[in-house]
Amino acid sequence: MQVQTSAIVISSLKYGDNGLIIRCYTQNSGIESFILKNAFSGRNKKSSVFLILNQIKIIYDQKKNSNLNYLKEADAEIYYQSIYSNPIKTTITLFLGEILNSVLQEEETNLSLYQFLSSGLNEFDSNRTNYADFHLWFLINLTRFLGFFPNYSENYQFFDLTNGVSTHDFSSGFVIEKEELILFKNLIDLDFNAEETSKFNQIQRKKLLEIIIRYYELHISDFRRPKSLEVLYSVFE
């Protein structure tokens, strides 16, 4: 059966001399993997279409009981203006792509998640000055769709990362308090689209990212600490 859908590129791996294996989050059916032949040869080179987190339109042959479908056509659906021309944005994009490749597994339609990914990337691309906090906002709000958005409440001394709830019990697991708790609350309350300036400085940003990575590690059993994390830290130094 031939299928046409919008998709967001999550990963791209060279296959043989001229082929690509591409993993996408599709609008129609969630995570799908594809093989594309002759991606690097001839006049119809398509490798640039499959940059990480590109938004594309694809046509493919869907086979029953197969985890790898053949792409017939693929073209850009959204043309980014700054994501791949701004080195900081590019680094953030590659980092988020690595996270998404690790955490997105469902092979079913989730239009709300697709819309979150698409609209977030579009806002990130169009924001010319205030984008340094985007990855923090993106990751904390992604947990809404992964099932462990923080259940934060005022007037509690600690936040328990293991159980995802505010608490008075310091011994309940991995907890944050004081300055870290204030930063975490400010991140939960952050409206990236409404902020005119970055809310966090370099030190706060790094501290928050470590908290978020630990939070993901505690809630996703096979979560892998991103290899691109240190590169991301370096671009903000």
Side-chain angles (χ1 to χ4, degrees), residues 57-149:
K57 200 79 172 179
I58 59 175
I59 298 175
Y60 65 96
D61 288 325
Q62 188 176 52
K63 297 182 179 180
K64 290 184 178 180
N65 303 318
S66 175
N67 294 323
L68 193 62
N69 298 304
Y70 280 93
L71 270 182
K72 295 179 68 67
E73 295 182 29
D75 289 291
E77 184 170 45
I78 302 293
Y79 290 89
Y80 293 142
Q81 301 301 308
S82 65
I83 282 180
Y84 276 102
S85 59
N86 179 318
I88 295 177
K89 284 191 174 185
T90 301
T91 304
I92 291 173
T93 299
L94 295 176
F95 168 76
L96 292 177
E98 188 177 357
I99 293 277
L100 290 172
N101 193 41
S102 177
V103 304
L104 295 184
Q105 304 295 334
E106 60 182 19
E107 298 178 355
E108 58 185 34
T109 303
N110 188 333
L111 292 178
S112 295
L113 174 53
Y114 188 90
Q115 181 61 32
F116 167 75
L117 299 175
S118 177
S119 61
L121 289 167
N122 292 340
E123 181 64 28
F124 179 48
D125 181 55
S126 64
N127 195 316
R128 298 289 179 169
T129 56
N130 173 33
Y131 51 80
D133 298 334
F134 174 75
H135 56 298
L136 302 174
W137 172 87
F138 184 93
L139 290 176
I140 202 66
N141 283 282
L142 180 62
T143 64
R144 296 180 187 273
F145 304 94
L146 300 177
F148 54 94
F149 186 75

Side-chain angles (χ1 to χ4, degrees), residues 26-50:
T26 68
Q27 189 176 52
N28 282 11
S29 54
I31 286 292
E32 295 279 3
S33 294
F34 307 98
I35 186 168
L36 176 67
K37 296 180 178 180
N38 301 319
F40 299 92
S41 61
R43 294 182 178 180
N44 296 319
K45 290 182 179 180
K46 288 289 186 179
S47 57
S48 62
V49 173
F50 302 106

Side-chain angles (χ1 to χ4, degrees), residues 167-184:
T167 181
H168 291 302
D169 184 6
F170 182 79
S171 63
S172 60
F174 292 94
V175 298
I176 54 175
E177 60 175 328
K178 298 179 181 178
E179 180 188 355
E180 289 184 344
L181 183 58
I182 294 171
L183 287 174
F184 195 63

Side-chain angles (χ1 to χ4, degrees), residues 147-162:
F148 54 94
F149 186 75
N151 185 10
Y152 177 85
S153 300
E154 298 281 357
N155 303 319
Y156 284 83
Q157 191 174 359
F158 310 108
F159 185 85
D160 178 2
L161 294 175
T162 303

